[in-house]
Amino acid sequence: MGFSPLLPLHGWACLAGAAVLAPAWAATLSLDVSVVPQADAGVQVQMRGTAEEPVLVWSGTSQAPPYRVALLWEASQVALGRPLPQVPAGGAGPLQAMTLSDTAQGARLELQVDKDVMPRLRRAAGGWVLQLDAVASAAPRAPPAPAPVQPAAARPAPAPPAPAPPMPAREQIVALARPAAVPPPDRRAETLLVDVQVNGNALPDVVRVERLADGRVILPAAAWKTARLRPAGEAVVVSDSDGPGYALDAATGLNYRIDRSRLQLVIEAQPAAFDGTSISVSGTDRDLPNKASPGVYLNYDVAMVAGEGGNSRGGLVEAVAFNHWGALVTGSAFSSSGAGGLRQVRTETYARKDWPGSMESLVVGDAVGSAGAWSRPVRFGGVRYARDFALAPGYITTPMPAINGSAALPSTVDVLVNNQRQSSTSVPSGPFSLTNVPLVNGAGELNVVVRDLRGVETVVSQSYYTSPALLAPGLSDFSFEAGALRHNFGTESNDYGPLFAAGTYRWGLGTRTTVGARAELQGARQAVGADATTLLGTYAVAHGAFAVSHSEAGSGAHWLAGAERVTPGGGASVLWEHSTDGYRAFGAGERELRPRDRLQVGGGMRLNDTFTAGLNYTRQTSWNAERVSLAGASLGVRLPGNSSLSLYAGRELAAGSWSAGVNLVVPLEGNRIIAASTTRQVDGSITTAVQATQATPAGPGWGWDVRASDTPTQRARAQATVNTNHAQLSAEVNAGKGSNAVRLSANGSTGWLEGQAFAARRIDQGAFAVVQVGDLEGVPVSRSNQVVATTDSRGRALVTGLLPYQKNQLTVNAEELPLDAQIDGVREEVVPYARSGMRVEFPVRRSRNVLVTLRRPDGTPVPAGTQVVLMPGGQQFVVATRGEVYLMNVQAENRLQVRFAGGGCEIPLAVDAALPAESHLGPLVCGGTP
């Protein structure tokens, strides 16, 4: 039998509580006892004359026999109606002797047995029956001499009660069940402290369980939660101290048994009996950006051309000021040619504020509006408030299928998308649901492999279809704009037209459908429409829209319908649109083409590992133009060595003109590519060209491009581009009939951040960081493990190209740092705002170290092993031979505390900053007392 020291403690606690709380001799019981041997080597002890339930106390087998089983009537005396029966020589089954005594706890009937038994107490007519069934492994033992028992009538008056003899070390108290016909004074019939095992996994702590009078076993609520089992039925409170619990019998998919020999509650649960688990595979946590430091920068891209056609210059500039509130941007384009003066045009001016947490942005000034499903975007000056999912890269906006399964044991779940492993995660026992599984857009197959602790695998497969045109259930996308339409962008600075207000709102109606609406309001035109996108099973996605407009031209309608299917092996789409004569598009000019019907059909597929093919067809009729029909085909061929060959052909069906081309691309080592092409234009001319390119690196370095063709105006062209830490410079030469020219250009950024001016390659619309690596010059700085800058003489480097609103990893290579550098970290992660900058300081500094020679006043070296304390800082060093001590991280002014047997001193130590990082100073004389 198993052994748990908690069980006897629990039994003693019950007896102690009864002794303290029960009134002395509250009742006198009349009792007749008889012994009935059983055919199966057991015995029954029958007790009649009392309805009060005794407490059953029994000992285990941790000691040598005889063992003891006792019945205790708490706070009661017993008056025997007749003497206790004599146990026959050799015993009655396992029973060898009986004694009855009055103790401090109450009347106690004790039975001695020579075998380990399993006692069972049950209610019988007029009393109680104690069944003693021998455990087969117990060894018999000769019975001891029976103790005489006097009848209650012959006993003298009771003396003051003496304490009961101590119980054996493993004595347990078990209160067994009563029949439901007798109303019990206590709902508990049995109390057990047991180890609980669920599907072979043990709970961490011993659990107290209760068996009720009706046979139900109550497991505490805390144990249900720890085991992750799902309780059923109403909560049961056995006592105030035990708290609520739930009956194991009421739970579905659950079987249990109590193993008394091991003091265990063994539960076998089906997966449905456990609480479900939901796990996000790709994660939903987002990193909010670091606070932007205030600063300004200027993007520039300027060029100068000198050639046979004359000289010209021009460029684009854009100024950006930023802080934690957002960014203010203004841009300008300028050009001049020949004898003409310099012409300047403002491009756009706006202020932008982003809220990455809610994925919303506000733009005041020049902006580009949304299009919805049936309209089109326009440039305007005004206000735009919109959802911007780009503020949370990696945020899953489309509905993703949930993978549901179950596991009887803790298991590992591998997720495979189109036979490519995407993730692996651990799940506990019970039902589970995997959400936010990263899937490839379009149709595919999802396989889930569940592998439990025994190595048993279960594979679940399901088809899926996802589309970026759908929104996850409850997710919304919106854009609200108001202002004045802008005309002639890039050629006029302030050409604004009529006022307008527009709004678009889309909402994920469910996992399969997304609906939207849009309204456009102008003085001379109004339009409103709705759209819907839905999945067609797991085969395709369909969308449709309908809109009406009213303008000076009258009223009109526009509708569209389409479907798209994308698979790993290819895809196809079809789109049909129709507009009535009175319909006017948003921002349309008076002479603009007004489509009537448009049909677009296209598709492509992978024929095998070598060939891919595609077809497309477009037909458009207009209210104010001729019909146009175009058809095209393409073929791609994969060649050895990662080379590729592509062919295409197109034809305008009405005019009969056609074009075609062949392209060959051969990649070489060192980021070099050779390409050749032949093209036939619609006018019948054929052009052949050969080109070789070496890509310009992301960091400092250079690249080049040369091209030769039979085009008269471009027989030969060559270009070289150089990236420096401060700009990108380019030179280009073209040779051809009447077009010999040289072009020089430069682009980059210059600005100011936290009191420091800088110049760098073009920042553009991303983000940047001013990196400080101590005062170390020439240290390479990497972005995403790619060197993008090196530090200058002050240890600074400007890193451009940071991705806004997501983690960017900046690193320095410790092997590139000098030996005297003290390194506390070589990696930093930053999350910047768009069009902003921040300062990143690596905990790297130069350590000034000196070798100092110490002498005593008589000229002899300070003894080896002498302790030297460098102040300030309190670093401790040890003197080596010849009185030399190597000191690290010294400052300009220091003090040395020197201690050795029989003497010591305190010496000032000044270190000139002009000295090398590794210097030898001394000898210094150590005299006096420290």
Side-chain angles (χ1 to χ4, degrees), residues 47 103 125 189 255 372 393 438 495 505 518 588 636 701 714 780 834:
M47 295 151 286
T103 69
N255 296 315
D495 187 2
Y505 190 88
R518 176 175 171 84
Q714 193 184 72

Side-chain angles (χ1 to χ4, degrees), residues 372 884 926:
E884 295 178 341
C926 178

Side-chain angles (χ1 to χ4, degrees), residues 289-295 322-326 753-754 832-834 836-838:
N290 305 113
K291 184 178 180 181
S293 304
F322 59 87
N323 59 17
H324 65 281
W325 290 102
L753 179 68
E754 292 191 349
Y833 280 88
S836 69
M838 57 192 308

Side-chain angles (χ1 to χ4, degrees), residues 625-651:
E626 295 181 356
R627 172 177 170 172
V628 176
S629 297
L630 300 172
S634 63
L635 178 68
V637 183
R638 182 180 178 182
L639 302 177
N642 289 328
S643 300
S644 62
L645 178 69
S646 61
L647 305 90
Y648 70 92
R651 181 181 181 87

Side-chain angles (χ1 to χ4, degrees), residues 128-187:
W128 297 89
V129 173
L130 175 62
Q131 180 77 33
L132 299 178
D133 295 324
V135 178
S137 59
R141 179 179 174 86
V149 179
Q150 296 180 348
R155 282 185 287 176
M167 297 187 210
R170 292 191 66 251
E171 197 161 67
Q172 307 165 27
I173 293 183
V174 182
L176 300 179
R178 314 177 185 85
V182 179
D186 187 350
R187 298 181 65 184

